Amino acid sequence: MSISAAVLPEYDHEMSVTRTVLSRVPGERATWRPHAKSYSLGDLSSHIANIPTWIAPTLSETELDLNPPGGTGWVSPTFQSTDALLATFDANIAAGRTAIAGTGDEAFGVPWSLKSGGHVIFTMPRVVVLRSFVLNHLIHHRGQLAVYLRLLDVPVPQIYGPTADEP
């Protein structure tokens, strides 16, 4: 079995669950945050919806510099509405799926580096970056979002099993 064939079922499952969680975001509460140091609800949900855009460059490039010397740094997307969030996420997961499906096993082993200002933060094989920096990162923030929903009394959907709202 190819690496992409092994990764895609997990990817499809995690993206489906994430879409369900994102669909619960109450747009009218986008500026709410549980703590002054926390993301706002809108910023967190927009960040989650954007993470799949990292897949194609991870699998086709060998590095990403978040603040390239002499260039424009990475800018976080902003929340517009829940409908726009879901449309963005749908497009991003489709592009991510296409990139995964089109990547051969040898390409998954190519070293990839995350940089900031030209300085290497880490270097790992692309398949590890896909699992850790992309998928696990998204899952981590999805967990945060589920807590935000709970704090806002929004029913939390099933993620890996029943919740208090969906037994």
Side-chain angles (χ1 to χ4, degrees), residues 9-71:
E10 177 185 12
Y11 178 80
D12 292 341
H13 172 76
E14 296 299 345
M15 295 308 110
S16 174
V17 170
T18 301
R19 189 183 196 289
T20 301
V21 175
L22 288 172
S23 74
R24 306 282 173 98
V25 170
E28 70 278 3
R29 301 296 306 268
T31 60
W32 180 86
R33 62 183 71 230
H35 187 275
K37 293 180 180 180
S38 299
Y39 271 124
S40 70
L41 174 65
D43 288 345
L44 177 60
S45 59
S46 293
H47 179 57
I48 293 166
N50 185 66
I51 290 173
T53 65
W54 303 349
I55 296 170
T58 296
L59 298 177
S60 64
E61 305 295 328
T62 57
E63 65 180 44
L64 170 64
D65 195 322
L66 297 173
N67 297 295

Side-chain angles (χ1 to χ4, degrees), residues 94-120:
R97 189 177 205 294
T98 298
I100 294 167
T103 301
D105 285 356
E106 285 187 25
F108 277 111
V110 171
W112 186 92
S113 298
L114 178 65
K115 297 180 176 182
S116 182
H119 301 286
V120 175

Side-chain angles (χ1 to χ4, degrees), residues 71-93:
T72 303
W74 180 78
V75 178
S76 185
T78 57
F79 181 86
Q80 302 300 317
S81 70
T82 302
D83 288 341
L85 177 78
L86 293 173
T88 296
F89 186 66
D90 289 344
N92 292 344
I93 62 174

